[in-house]
Amino acid sequence: MHRFSFSALRSRSQLHCVDVYPLTISRKSGFVAPSLPLALACLTIVTVAWGGAANRGFAADRTTLAVALATGHPGVKPSAFSDASFADAAMADARGDAGAQPANAPTTGTEHAWRAYRELWQTHASDPANRGVRRFLGLPLDGVIEVRSIRGRSAPTWLRWQRGSYQQYESPHFSIYSRASDEDTRRVAEDLEQCYWVWTQMFFPLWEGNAQVAIAFADWRRGTSIADHLAKSTSRLATRQKMRVVLFRDGNEYAATLSKQIPGIERSTGFYSDENRTTFLFAGHEETEATRRHELVHQLFREATRSSRGRGSRSANDTMPGEGSGFWLIEGIAGYFESLRIGDGIATVGGWDASRLQYARYRTNVGGDFMPLQELEPEGRLAAQQRTDLARYYAHAIAHTHQLLDGGNLENRKWIYHRLAMMYGIESPYPESPAPQPTMQQMRSFLNVRDSDLKGNPPSPTTKRLCLAACEVTPEGMQSFPPLPELDWLDLSKNRQITSDAVNALISEATSITQLSLEATAVDNGIATRLAMASELEEIDLSFTAVDDDVIEAIKGLQELRTLWLTKTQVSDAAMDMIESLSKLEVLDVQQTRVSEARLEKFKRARPDVKLNPLELRLQ
């Protein structure tokens, strides 16, 4: 039996249920709520003042890192890194001079090597054609990532693939056995390599190559040229052993091959097998990028570090990291890395708009839910996966990971590095310290989003899920958003300044949006025309807004609509005929509206299949 961790067992019902087993929670609690499967972290990060970012007014809620570039790339301006460089702030000498060391700084020279490595990558970003830098990193002198393809002959025997039925792809750090197309496989290979390089910058103290960097830059001095230093050197990074990836043609082949060994595998989009030291993926699914990065992090911490829990045969005492306790961080750090966004010359990790964080924000800000670390920490893998509230567990695990890494407390970030080192059997760069214990209030503050966050770091045009419920955002902040054509879920609930015009502008190109929550906002009938155009909508929440029958007239053609919340609006009996015509409607709430009891009784007889008025309203 494989020992593995799922990153994404997903079921489609309004929102994606992510991680391990799909669970459903109530979206409404008290006077707030539709039933939808909320699974992982829905967090959002408030503006954090780190280094230069504090003085510029930027929302520095993410770590900015470099990516491998082609020699012909024009390069990246240094300001791209100085505005939000959390990784520098994680170094003990981040606020000191080159030779200054705080009292608690480790004596291993990790910080000096880390700074040199970061500067090495920033030198590459500004001058991608520099041959010395490319040679040291092992980047090709032409192109971005070198990927070679040969006829498959050496796939693991347990895969039972015949020779010639697959291709084998070799990149600097991965061996990929693939039945996917050449185009898909090369895209995956290049992404794996880019993720690898970003991970080495972010988690340099734990990476197996940090000793090589320390030796190569032992006599480098801060303020001197990295390029000049490398011009006098012949050293280059070497890889001990490549990591193994199996890429299936599609989800059907993935499930057919693995289902006998792993029940339920068909509900996943990838996993890392600790037993086989292999990541299993498949091509052609919209969620596979996030899954790939999640599972790759599991693999990198196991195989790209000098872990005492090595790559060879396992002893009886060699348990998986997180097996006995602390499983929340094993999954939390992988979920955190799903926030990786690779742009033109730079990458970022973290951020208020990270997809996984949107769910946690909803749980915390709207549902008032909170799991302290004291509750998460004692449970190991089996205990965690047997929880009946597993989706909630994952949401808070990832929320805490984001908050400890990006919440603005340097010691919390060091604690995460030390804890990961201990769990994976890596020499720790930082001394042991008491575990942080974020409070409910601290988590709420961290999850809050303000206009400054929106303006400093607008969401990506590829954003699919956006929860800004109970935050401090206004139409002014939302004006900084690019078009969001892929938006699937938008929750702006409890933002009293959000108007119909602001919502109309935000969803103007979101032709595939399926869930829209505008409860307790300032929207009115001005939303009607835009709603009528959103033909894929499955759930709309307009509770506690100024809408009336005109909006119902506009949405009567939304034949995919399953859930409609109109609590305490101005709809009347005149709207009920149109609501009855919504053939797929499953849930309707019209409490405290102008709908009469007689008309409600008629609706019940006509549509007994609809759950009517499920909210338990609190009388004020």
Side-chain angles (χ1 to χ4, degrees), residues 498-533:
I498 299 300
T499 63
S500 294
D501 288 343
V503 176
N504 289 339
L506 187 56
I507 66 173
S508 61
E509 297 188 28
T511 56
S512 299
I513 190 169
T514 63
Q515 183 170 327
L516 180 63
S517 302
L518 302 172
E519 175 190 357
T521 62
V523 301
D524 53 22
N525 288 345
I527 198 73
T529 301
R530 183 57 61 188
L531 287 183
M533 299 169 63

mmCIF file of all heavy atoms in Angstrom, residues 498-533:
data_model
loop_
_atom_site.group_PDB
_atom_site.id
_atom_site.type_symbol
_atom_site.label_atom_id
_atom_site.label_comp_id
_atom_site.label_asym_id
_atom_site.label_seq_id
_atom_site.Cartn_x
_atom_site.Cartn_y
_atom_site.Cartn_z
ATOM 1 N N ILE A 498 -20.041 48.425 -0.672
ATOM 2 C CA ILE A 498 -20.025 47.821 -1.996
ATOM 3 C C ILE A 498 -21.354 48.080 -2.702
ATOM 4 O O ILE A 498 -22.412 47.676 -2.233
ATOM 5 C CB ILE A 498 -19.752 46.310 -1.920
ATOM 6 C CG1 ILE A 498 -18.384 46.062 -1.284
ATOM 7 C CG2 ILE A 498 -19.833 45.669 -3.295
ATOM 8 C CD1 ILE A 498 -17.228 46.678 -2.029
ATOM 9 N N THR A 499 -21.309 48.733 -3.852
ATOM 10 C CA THR A 499 -22.497 49.139 -4.589
ATOM 11 C C THR A 499 -22.722 48.244 -5.801
ATOM 12 O O THR A 499 -21.858 47.459 -6.197
ATOM 13 C CB THR A 499 -22.338 50.586 -5.075
ATOM 14 O OG1 THR A 499 -21.221 50.643 -5.978
ATOM 15 C CG2 THR A 499 -22.108 51.533 -3.905
ATOM 16 N N SER A 500 -23.859 48.407 -6.432
ATOM 17 C CA SER A 500 -24.160 47.660 -7.652
ATOM 18 C C SER A 500 -23.157 47.972 -8.743
ATOM 19 O O SER A 500 -22.718 47.073 -9.477
ATOM 20 C CB SER A 500 -25.571 47.994 -8.139
ATOM 21 O OG SER A 500 -26.544 47.542 -7.231
ATOM 22 N N ASP A 501 -22.780 49.240 -8.890
ATOM 23 C CA ASP A 501 -21.808 49.602 -9.921
ATOM 24 C C ASP A 501 -20.483 48.883 -9.711
ATOM 25 O O ASP A 501 -19.853 48.422 -10.675
ATOM 26 C CB ASP A 501 -21.584 51.118 -9.928
ATOM 27 C CG ASP A 501 -22.770 51.885 -10.491
ATOM 28 O OD1 ASP A 501 -23.613 51.242 -11.155
ATOM 29 O OD2 ASP A 501 -22.843 53.110 -10.268
ATOM 30 N N ALA A 502 -20.031 48.792 -8.458
ATOM 31 C CA ALA A 502 -18.759 48.122 -8.166
ATOM 32 C C ALA A 502 -18.833 46.641 -8.518
ATOM 33 O O ALA A 502 -17.895 46.077 -9.106
ATOM 34 C CB ALA A 502 -18.404 48.290 -6.690
ATOM 35 N N VAL A 503 -19.938 46.004 -8.181
ATOM 36 C CA VAL A 503 -20.097 44.576 -8.493
ATOM 37 C C VAL A 503 -20.204 44.369 -9.999
ATOM 38 O O VAL A 503 -19.594 43.455 -10.565
ATOM 39 C CB VAL A 503 -21.329 44.001 -7.772
ATOM 40 C CG1 VAL A 503 -21.544 42.542 -8.185
ATOM 41 C CG2 VAL A 503 -21.168 44.107 -6.258
ATOM 42 N N ASN A 504 -20.982 45.205 -10.664
ATOM 43 C CA ASN A 504 -21.140 45.080 -12.117
ATOM 44 C C ASN A 504 -19.795 45.162 -12.835
ATOM 45 O O ASN A 504 -19.520 44.401 -13.766
ATOM 46 C CB ASN A 504 -22.072 46.168 -12.641
ATOM 47 C CG ASN A 504 -23.516 45.940 -12.245
ATOM 48 O OD1 ASN A 504 -23.912 44.820 -11.922
ATOM 49 N ND2 ASN A 504 -24.312 47.001 -12.256
ATOM 50 N N ALA A 505 -18.944 46.083 -12.381
ATOM 51 C CA ALA A 505 -17.635 46.226 -13.008
ATOM 52 C C ALA A 505 -16.768 45.002 -12.746
ATOM 53 O O ALA A 505 -16.043 44.537 -13.632
ATOM 54 C CB ALA A 505 -16.943 47.485 -12.484
ATOM 55 N N LEU A 506 -16.868 44.459 -11.548
ATOM 56 C CA LEU A 506 -16.019 43.341 -11.163
ATOM 57 C C LEU A 506 -16.378 42.057 -11.916
ATOM 58 O O LEU A 506 -15.502 41.273 -12.288
ATOM 59 C CB LEU A 506 -16.111 43.105 -9.651
ATOM 60 C CG LEU A 506 -15.160 42.076 -9.047
ATOM 61 C CD1 LEU A 506 -13.714 42.409 -9.379
ATOM 62 C CD2 LEU A 506 -15.346 42.020 -7.539
ATOM 63 N N ILE A 507 -17.664 41.827 -12.167
ATOM 64 C CA ILE A 507 -18.077 40.571 -12.805
ATOM 65 C C ILE A 507 -18.415 40.762 -14.287
ATOM 66 O O ILE A 507 -18.993 39.876 -14.911
ATOM 67 C CB ILE A 507 -19.285 39.944 -12.073
ATOM 68 C CG1 ILE A 507 -20.533 40.820 -12.203
ATOM 69 C CG2 ILE A 507 -18.948 39.680 -10.617
ATOM 70 C CD1 ILE A 507 -21.794 40.156 -11.637
ATOM 71 N N SER A 508 -18.017 41.903 -14.842
ATOM 72 C CA SER A 508 -18.408 42.215 -16.220
ATOM 73 C C SER A 508 -17.930 41.176 -17.217
ATOM 74 O O SER A 508 -18.581 40.938 -18.241
ATOM 75 C CB SER A 508 -17.880 43.601 -16.620
ATOM 76 O OG SER A 508 -16.455 43.623 -16.559
ATOM 77 N N GLU A 509 -16.774 40.547 -16.939
ATOM 78 C CA GLU A 509 -16.254 39.533 -17.858
ATOM 79 C C GLU A 509 -16.269 38.133 -17.264
ATOM 80 O O GLU A 509 -15.751 37.192 -17.862
ATOM 81 C CB GLU A 509 -14.831 39.907 -18.291
ATOM 82 C CG GLU A 509 -14.773 41.218 -19.067
ATOM 83 C CD GLU A 509 -13.398 41.477 -19.650
ATOM 84 O OE1 GLU A 509 -12.681 40.495 -19.936
ATOM 85 O OE2 GLU A 509 -13.041 42.655 -19.832
ATOM 86 N N ALA A 510 -16.864 37.981 -16.093
ATOM 87 C CA ALA A 510 -16.902 36.678 -15.419
ATOM 88 C C ALA A 510 -18.093 35.877 -15.927
ATOM 89 O O ALA A 510 -19.079 35.660 -15.218
ATOM 90 C CB ALA A 510 -16.971 36.871 -13.906
ATOM 91 N N THR A 511 -17.994 35.416 -17.153
ATOM 92 C CA THR A 511 -19.135 34.751 -17.793
ATOM 93 C C THR A 511 -19.429 33.382 -17.215
ATOM 94 O O THR A 511 -20.502 32.829 -17.460
ATOM 95 C CB THR A 511 -18.876 34.612 -19.295
ATOM 96 O OG1 THR A 511 -17.641 33.905 -19.493
ATOM 97 C CG2 THR A 511 -18.775 35.979 -19.953
ATOM 98 N N SER A 512 -18.490 32.822 -16.448
ATOM 99 C CA SER A 512 -18.689 31.484 -15.903
ATOM 100 C C SER A 512 -18.872 31.477 -14.391
ATOM 101 O O SER A 512 -18.752 30.429 -13.756
ATOM 102 C CB SER A 512 -17.500 30.586 -16.268
ATOM 103 O OG SER A 512 -17.368 30.455 -17.662
ATOM 104 N N ILE A 513 -19.162 32.612 -13.811
ATOM 105 C CA ILE A 513 -19.333 32.669 -12.361
ATOM 106 C C ILE A 513 -20.524 31.799 -11.947
ATOM 107 O O ILE A 513 -21.587 31.837 -12.568
ATOM 108 C CB ILE A 513 -19.501 34.126 -11.890
ATOM 109 C CG1 ILE A 513 -19.430 34.211 -10.369
ATOM 110 C CG2 ILE A 513 -20.776 34.757 -12.429
ATOM 111 C CD1 ILE A 513 -19.312 35.629 -9.836
ATOM 112 N N THR A 514 -20.331 31.013 -10.894
ATOM 113 C CA THR A 514 -21.393 30.115 -10.433
ATOM 114 C C THR A 514 -21.940 30.487 -9.066
ATOM 115 O O THR A 514 -23.045 30.086 -8.721
ATOM 116 C CB THR A 514 -20.891 28.660 -10.368
ATOM 117 O OG1 THR A 514 -19.830 28.563 -9.416
ATOM 118 C CG2 THR A 514 -20.432 28.178 -11.727
ATOM 119 N N GLN A 515 -21.191 31.232 -8.268
ATOM 120 C CA GLN A 515 -21.668 31.587 -6.930
ATOM 121 C C GLN A 515 -21.348 33.043 -6.632
ATOM 122 O O GLN A 515 -20.204 33.478 -6.769
ATOM 123 C CB GLN A 515 -21.030 30.694 -5.873
ATOM 124 C CG GLN A 515 -21.561 30.999 -4.475
ATOM 125 C CD GLN A 515 -21.120 29.959 -3.471
ATOM 126 O OE1 GLN A 515 -20.967 28.786 -3.809
ATOM 127 N NE2 GLN A 515 -20.917 30.375 -2.239
ATOM 128 N N LEU A 516 -22.351 33.790 -6.237
ATOM 129 C CA LEU A 516 -22.229 35.215 -5.964
ATOM 130 C C LEU A 516 -22.911 35.533 -4.653
ATOM 131 O O LEU A 516 -24.116 35.303 -4.502
ATOM 132 C CB LEU A 516 -22.849 36.024 -7.102
ATOM 133 C CG LEU A 516 -22.804 37.550 -6.982
ATOM 134 C CD1 LEU A 516 -21.362 38.044 -6.962
ATOM 135 C CD2 LEU A 516 -23.584 38.194 -8.122
ATOM 136 N N SER A 517 -22.157 36.055 -3.697
ATOM 137 C CA SER A 517 -22.686 36.366 -2.373
ATOM 138 C C SER A 517 -22.533 37.859 -2.108
ATOM 139 O O SER A 517 -21.411 38.368 -1.998
ATOM 140 C CB SER A 517 -21.946 35.559 -1.305
ATOM 141 O OG SER A 517 -22.067 34.176 -1.550
ATOM 142 N N LEU A 518 -23.666 38.545 -2.008
ATOM 143 C CA LEU A 518 -23.683 39.995 -1.814
ATOM 144 C C LEU A 518 -24.496 40.383 -0.584
ATOM 145 O O LEU A 518 -24.981 41.499 -0.474
ATOM 146 C CB LEU A 518 -24.251 40.680 -3.056
ATOM 147 C CG LEU A 518 -23.507 40.404 -4.370
ATOM 148 C CD1 LEU A 518 -24.271 40.979 -5.553
ATOM 149 C CD2 LEU A 518 -22.095 40.971 -4.316
ATOM 150 N N GLU A 519 -24.627 39.480 0.337
ATOM 151 C CA GLU A 519 -25.418 39.705 1.541
ATOM 152 C C GLU A 519 -24.949 40.951 2.294
ATOM 153 O O GLU A 519 -23.754 41.188 2.455
ATOM 154 C CB GLU A 519 -25.298 38.490 2.459
ATOM 155 C CG GLU A 519 -25.982 38.666 3.799
ATOM 156 C CD GLU A 519 -25.640 37.551 4.761
ATOM 157 O OE1 GLU A 519 -24.920 36.617 4.361
ATOM 158 O OE2 GLU A 519 -26.084 37.628 5.911
ATOM 159 N N ALA A 520 -25.900 41.758 2.724
ATOM 160 C CA ALA A 520 -25.630 42.927 3.562
ATOM 161 C C ALA A 520 -24.643 43.892 2.919
ATOM 162 O O ALA A 520 -23.765 44.464 3.568
ATOM 163 C CB ALA A 520 -25.135 42.495 4.944
ATOM 164 N N THR A 521 -24.768 44.074 1.606
ATOM 165 C CA THR A 521 -24.012 45.105 0.893
ATOM 166 C C THR A 521 -24.987 46.208 0.480
ATOM 167 O O THR A 521 -26.187 46.133 0.768
ATOM 168 C CB THR A 521 -23.324 44.525 -0.353
ATOM 169 O OG1 THR A 521 -24.322 44.023 -1.248
ATOM 170 C CG2 THR A 521 -22.366 43.402 0.026
ATOM 171 N N ALA A 522 -24.487 47.214 -0.249
ATOM 172 C CA ALA A 522 -25.331 48.321 -0.680
ATOM 173 C C ALA A 522 -25.891 48.113 -2.080
ATOM 174 O O ALA A 522 -26.351 49.075 -2.710
ATOM 175 C CB ALA A 522 -24.532 49.626 -0.619
ATOM 176 N N VAL A 523 -25.876 46.880 -2.584
ATOM 177 C CA VAL A 523 -26.403 46.650 -3.926
ATOM 178 C C VAL A 523 -27.921 46.827 -3.936
ATOM 179 O O VAL A 523 -28.605 46.624 -2.928
ATOM 180 C CB VAL A 523 -26.019 45.260 -4.464
ATOM 181 C CG1 VAL A 523 -24.514 45.081 -4.517
ATOM 182 C CG2 VAL A 523 -26.672 44.153 -3.656
ATOM 183 N N ASP A 524 -28.453 47.184 -5.127
ATOM 184 C CA ASP A 524 -29.885 47.363 -5.301
ATOM 185 C C ASP A 524 -30.277 46.822 -6.673
ATOM 186 O O ASP A 524 -29.553 45.999 -7.246
ATOM 187 C CB ASP A 524 -30.264 48.840 -5.136
ATOM 188 C CG ASP A 524 -29.429 49.755 -6.045
ATOM 189 O OD1 ASP A 524 -28.884 49.258 -7.073
ATOM 190 O OD2 ASP A 524 -29.320 50.952 -5.752
ATOM 191 N N ASN A 525 -31.355 47.285 -7.226
ATOM 192 C CA ASN A 525 -31.823 46.777 -8.516
ATOM 193 C C ASN A 525 -30.838 47.057 -9.662
ATOM 194 O O ASN A 525 -30.976 46.493 -10.750
ATOM 195 C CB ASN A 525 -33.184 47.375 -8.871
ATOM 196 C CG ASN A 525 -34.289 46.803 -8.011
ATOM 197 O OD1 ASN A 525 -34.110 45.781 -7.353
ATOM 198 N ND2 ASN A 525 -35.445 47.465 -7.990
ATOM 199 N N GLY A 526 -29.853 47.906 -9.413
ATOM 200 C CA GLY A 526 -28.847 48.162 -10.421
ATOM 201 C C GLY A 526 -28.034 46.931 -10.789
ATOM 202 O O GLY A 526 -27.307 46.928 -11.791
ATOM 203 N N ILE A 527 -28.146 45.869 -10.004
ATOM 204 C CA ILE A 527 -27.411 44.632 -10.279
ATOM 205 C C ILE A 527 -28.161 43.741 -11.262
ATOM 206 O O ILE A 527 -27.615 42.763 -11.780
ATOM 207 C CB ILE A 527 -27.187 43.860 -8.945
ATOM 208 C CG1 ILE A 527 -26.079 42.815 -9.089
ATOM 209 C CG2 ILE A 527 -28.453 43.195 -8.462
ATOM 210 C CD1 ILE A 527 -24.718 43.385 -9.150
ATOM 211 N N ALA A 528 -29.411 44.065 -11.557
ATOM 212 C CA ALA A 528 -30.296 43.149 -12.290
ATOM 213 C C ALA A 528 -29.766 42.775 -13.672
ATOM 214 O O ALA A 528 -29.711 41.594 -14.031
ATOM 215 C CB ALA A 528 -31.689 43.761 -12.409
ATOM 216 N N THR A 529 -29.389 43.759 -14.470
ATOM 217 C CA THR A 529 -28.970 43.462 -15.848
ATOM 218 C C THR A 529 -27.744 42.575 -15.883
ATOM 219 O O THR A 529 -27.669 41.622 -16.671
ATOM 220 C CB THR A 529 -28.669 44.780 -16.597
ATOM 221 O OG1 THR A 529 -29.843 45.595 -16.601
ATOM 222 C CG2 THR A 529 -28.245 44.495 -18.020
ATOM 223 N N ARG A 530 -26.781 42.842 -15.015
ATOM 224 C CA ARG A 530 -25.563 42.037 -15.000
ATOM 225 C C ARG A 530 -25.855 40.618 -14.531
ATOM 226 O O ARG A 530 -25.306 39.651 -15.063
ATOM 227 C CB ARG A 530 -24.517 42.691 -14.098
ATOM 228 C CG ARG A 530 -23.178 41.978 -14.067
ATOM 229 C CD ARG A 530 -22.555 41.837 -15.444
ATOM 230 N NE ARG A 530 -22.303 43.132 -16.065
ATOM 231 C CZ ARG A 530 -21.911 43.300 -17.316
ATOM 232 N NH1 ARG A 530 -21.770 42.234 -18.107
ATOM 233 N NH2 ARG A 530 -21.697 44.497 -17.813
ATOM 234 N N LEU A 531 -26.738 40.463 -13.542
ATOM 235 C CA LEU A 531 -27.098 39.121 -13.083
ATOM 236 C C LEU A 531 -27.736 38.312 -14.207
ATOM 237 O O LEU A 531 -27.482 37.111 -14.352
ATOM 238 C CB LEU A 531 -28.059 39.195 -11.894
ATOM 239 C CG LEU A 531 -27.480 39.625 -10.540
ATOM 240 C CD1 LEU A 531 -28.565 39.576 -9.468
ATOM 241 C CD2 LEU A 531 -26.310 38.736 -10.131
ATOM 242 N N ALA A 532 -28.577 38.955 -14.977
ATOM 243 C CA ALA A 532 -29.270 38.259 -16.060
ATOM 244 C C ALA A 532 -28.300 37.684 -17.085
ATOM 245 O O ALA A 532 -28.603 36.702 -17.767
ATOM 246 C CB ALA A 532 -30.249 39.199 -16.746
ATOM 247 N N MET A 533 -27.111 38.276 -17.196
ATOM 248 C CA MET A 533 -26.123 37.821 -18.171
ATOM 249 C C MET A 533 -25.259 36.690 -17.640
ATOM 250 O O MET A 533 -24.541 36.034 -18.406
ATOM 251 C CB MET A 533 -25.238 38.998 -18.582
ATOM 252 C CG MET A 533 -26.004 40.141 -19.239
ATOM 253 S SD MET A 533 -24.998 41.637 -19.437
ATOM 254 C CE MET A 533 -23.733 41.037 -20.540
#
